[in-house]
Amino acid sequence: MTGIEPAMTFHPRPQAGTPTPWAFPAPERTTLDNGLTVLHCHRPGQELIAVEVLLDAPLAAEPAGLDGVATILARALNQGTDTLTAEEFAGELERAGATMDAHADHPCVRVSLEVPASRLERGLTLLADALRAPALPEHEIERLVANRLDEIVHELANPARRAALALYGELFDGADRLSRPRAGSAETVRGIDRAAVQAFYAAHVRPATATAVVVGDLDGVDLPGVLDRTLGAWTGDKAEPSTSAPVTADDAARVIVVDRPGSVQTQLLIGRVGPDRHDDVWAAQVLGTYCLGGTLTSRLDKVLREEKGYTYGVRALSQPLRSAPDGSGRVLLAITGSVDTPSTAPALADAWTVLRTLAAEGLTDAERDVAVQNLVGVAPLRYETSAAVAGTLADQVEQGLPDDFQAQVYRRLADTGTAEATAAVVAAFPPDRLVTVLVGDASQIAGPVGELGIGEVTVVR
């Protein structure tokens, strides 16, 4: 020991700045000469640019017997172009520091790109080439079909996925595309070949009915010029945007047991359809549903998890289906979770008690306040990244909503009172209008569940 203590220099503690009000970013709109609609949003500091392209290729447009062709097309878009093989295309994306993905859902096919701002033009060039002239090579289509067939086997073995397939099949008429698996069944996917994918592409992928969303730090970027040289070079025929059929569902109370002999757990999925984002009740419905099952402190979790120990967690949620400004769209309202097999009937009985008590006594002001804080207070954190903002803006386009919709939702959530939230969630989850799907051992759960009086029980295998 020398007895000499090293000197330390402490830098001054940074001082917090003056907080400023937060609002969901407002995009600007433009239309390219080829008819492509573009929404762009400057987000200072977000050097990773997020791009979402929405293609007017809804699942309802898939040819009869070819459910899943939209998914195969989406997965094939990054498998090469008229000038690049699949391997070369992947290499070019990597050199640009970019990632590209795509998926198909009921409203449209969505293609996502993330690329550093310094390589935005290169990334958009690759994206534009994939949209303009995808190679759709036969061997890659065959590989994607085989992969999808393998996925189906795993989906049918997954209790949560099996419950979702059963619920959609129960709620919607068999002729409605909503009733069938989004990415197709084994029977339909086997019939998909390169010609089918090419035909679906030719019929539905064009700039005139597409929308691109670009979000990130655009400072110093000549965005109009970059767009003209990239996505603006994509050409196609003019066409009218597709329209969606009204969503109708049969929510007569009933119980479907998907038999899994020997299962030690039961997967629960309880649902019906309800108002979508175009309805004035939307904000109150979101708030009330959050109080019911949006977090660990929600009513369902307090009873089923904390008090009874039936489950690790149960959630109430809403899932967009098809949406339209005319009010004909709907969302799936659902309660989901899993319990051990002997607790299936007791857990359902307690869930129905929660719903009936909620209808009789309403939410508390404390529940409402916590939900508002959790939903509104964390919004700035939720939208820290350009991808999160781009995804929400794309959701708004997909669902035919105004550009300021998300900003208005947070204001409406903050203004929604306890009584309004109660009325909305009680209307969303009426105990006598719920379809219950249980994936578990029918020999153990069908009888006790039938005694609850929550609907006629049908066992399927």
Side-chain angles (χ1 to χ4, degrees):
M1 300 290 294
T2 64
I4 300 174
E5 296 184 5
M8 298 182 67
T9 301
F10 293 94
H11 294 283
R13 178 181 296 177
Q15 297 298 310
T18 302
T20 57
W22 180 87
F24 185 81
E28 297 182 40
R29 275 183 176 259
T30 188
T31 303
L32 304 186
D33 291 342
N34 60 1
L36 178 70
T37 300
V38 178
L39 279 70
H40 65 276
C41 185
H42 175 51
R43 301 291 290 158
Q46 295 293 333
E47 295 294 336
L48 189 63
I49 306 294
V51 182
E52 295 264 356
V53 177
L54 296 90
L55 305 174
D56 191 13
L59 297 190
E62 292 177 318
L66 289 178
D67 290 357
V69 69
T71 292
I72 299 300
L73 169 62
R75 296 177 180 182
L77 286 174
N78 63 359
Q79 300 301 308
T81 67
D82 57 346
T83 60
L84 297 172
T85 66
E87 292 77 10
E88 290 169 341
F89 189 84
E92 288 300 311
L93 281 174
E94 187 173 346
R95 275 186 281 276
T99 59
M100 178 178 156
D101 197 8
H103 74 276
D105 208 337
H106 288 288
C108 65
V109 170
R110 278 168 63 161
V111 187
S112 304
L113 174 78
E114 285 190 292
V115 61
S118 60
R119 298 182 177 89
L120 177 60
E121 183 159 359
R122 181 55 182 158
L124 286 177
T125 297
L126 292 169
L127 173 61
D129 286 347
L131 297 172
R132 174 188 59 80
L136 307 178
E138 184 171 5
H139 68 282
E140 293 292 352
I141 299 299
E142 292 174 349
R143 178 181 64 81
L144 293 170
V145 167
N147 288 349
R148 173 59 194 146
L149 291 172
D150 288 341
E151 283 180 1
I152 293 169
V153 175
H154 292 286
E155 288 174 358
L156 294 176
N158 181 291
R161 289 291 302 137
R162 188 67 183 87
L165 291 171
L167 181 61
Y168 277 76
E170 277 293 319
L171 282 174
F172 306 109
D173 185 270
D176 191 329
R177 184 62 179 84
L178 287 169
S179 70
R180 306 190 296 277
R182 287 179 175 85
S185 65
E187 180 182 2
T188 62
V189 171
R190 287 193 189 99
I192 298 173
D193 57 14
R194 182 173 188 256
V197 177
Q198 286 181 313
F200 192 75
Y201 167 83
H204 301 288
V205 180
R206 55 178 60 85
T209 56
T211 299
V213 178
V214 183
V215 178
D217 193 331
L218 302 175
D219 189 34
V221 175
D222 175 22
L223 188 61
V226 170
L227 290 172
D228 281 341
R229 293 189 295 272
T230 56
L231 291 173
W234 174 26
T235 60
D237 298 334
K238 299 293 183 182
E240 291 296 319
S242 64
T243 58
S244 59
V247 177
T248 59
D250 176 9
D251 61 0
R254 57 198 185 276
V255 180
I256 309 300
V257 179
V258 180
D259 190 21
R260 296 189 78 203
S263 178
V264 298
Q265 284 191 326
T266 300
Q267 183 71 38
L268 316 176
L269 184 57
I270 305 160
R272 66 190 299 266
V273 300
D276 73 353
R277 289 170 167 82
H278 291 279
D279 196 293
D280 289 339
V281 79
W282 176 254
Q285 183 174 273
V286 168
L287 192 60
T289 301
Y290 190 89
C291 292
L292 174 64
T295 184
L296 290 174
T297 60
S298 66
R299 289 213 175 183
L300 287 169
D301 247 26
K302 281 182 178 179
V303 175
L304 302 184
R305 182 178 185 269
E306 300 299 327
E307 296 178 13
K308 301 299 180 71
Y310 294 144
T311 177
Y312 288 116
V314 62
R315 290 292 175 267
L317 51 88
S318 61
Q319 172 69 45
L321 297 169
R322 291 193 298 257
S323 190
D326 64 3
S328 63
R330 291 291 183 271
V331 298
L332 176 72
L333 295 162
I335 296 170
T336 181
S338 60
V339 299
D340 65 291
T341 297
S343 299
T344 302
L348 288 173
D350 284 334
W352 258 249
T353 298
V354 169
L355 295 176
R356 293 182 179 119
T357 302
L358 181 60
E361 301 176 2
L363 297 167
T364 66
D365 291 339
E367 287 176 305
R368 176 264 176 201
D369 293 346
V370 168
V372 169
Q373 179 58 39
N374 288 349
L375 291 168
V376 179
V378 303
L381 297 177
R382 180 181 177 187
Y383 293 109
E384 280 189 318
T385 67
S386 54
V389 174
T392 295
L393 290 175
D395 289 342
Q396 292 181 171
V397 172
E398 183 180 274
Q399 296 168 37
L401 297 164
D403 291 344
D404 66 347
F405 175 80
Q406 196 64 32
Q408 295 301 321
V409 161
Y410 288 115
R411 178 188 62 78
R412 292 174 61 194
L413 284 170
D415 292 342
T416 298
T418 305
E420 188 180 357
T422 297
V425 70
V426 168
F429 294 94
D432 59 345
R433 300 294 298 180
L434 295 172
V435 178
T436 301
V437 173
L438 308 173
V439 181
D441 190 334
S443 66
Q444 295 191 53
I445 64 178
V449 169
E451 296 173 3
L452 298 177
I454 61 175
E456 181 180 350
V457 177
T458 302
V459 177
V460 299
R461 292 174 173 80

